[in-house]
Amino acid sequence: MKTYTLDEVQDKIIGKKGTPNREKFEYELQMDLIGKAIKESRLERKLTQEQLGELVGVQKAQISRLESNASNVTIDTLMKVFTALKAKVKLQIELPNAKFNLAR
């Protein structure tokens, strides 16, 4: 029986790195992980979605959508959520000839 590495399986099923399908998959995965991290942090702080929404200045429904998929949210809203959760935020942007770091 032939065995395959995780990378080989991902390349075959999702697509090779750099392809549109793989980029979309990885983006959606990252947004899902951000949403799950927000939910876990909120629960650790014993906050309801409504309470977090009040701290951020948004409706409970927006917190619910954010926790289930963070892909349709502004950076401003994300920063407000992380600030309300007392989270340390590090953002790293890499361009071909430059690298930027933002810590808050």
Side-chain angles (χ1 to χ4, degrees):
M1 176 196 270
K2 180 167 171 48
T3 59
Y4 298 91
T5 66
L6 178 58
D7 287 337
E8 289 172 328
V9 173
Q10 288 177 324
D11 287 350
K12 183 161 181 71
I13 294 174
I14 304 164
K16 293 191 181 282
K17 288 190 180 207
T19 61
N21 283 348
R22 183 67 171 263
E23 294 291 325
K24 181 181 178 200
F25 171 80
E26 289 181 357
Y27 172 78
E28 289 174 353
L29 179 61
Q30 289 172 341
M31 295 302 103
D32 189 52
L33 292 173
I34 289 172
K36 288 186 185 327
I38 290 169
K39 182 176 183 176
E40 287 176 16
S41 183
R42 174 182 62 78
L43 293 173
E44 284 175 7
R45 286 159 182 73
K46 298 183 180 5
L47 293 170
T48 65
Q49 290 178 337
E50 188 170 353
Q51 290 168 325
L52 180 57
E54 288 173 6
L55 291 172
V56 176
V58 299
Q59 298 292 318
K60 173 190 174 214
Q62 188 169 351
I63 298 298
S64 177
R65 283 191 303 271
L66 178 63
E67 290 180 352
S68 64
N69 186 340
S71 66
N72 196 14
V73 66
T74 65
I75 290 178
D76 183 54
T77 300
L78 275 178
M79 294 303 289
K80 287 179 183 177
V81 168
F82 291 131
T83 299
L85 293 171
K86 297 179 177 31
K88 184 176 181 180
V89 176
K90 293 181 182 181
L91 178 64
Q92 182 174 321
I93 301 169
E94 293 184 32
L95 299 172
N97 296 318
K99 186 174 182 179
F100 303 93
N101 286 302
L102 170 68
R104 184 170 185 203

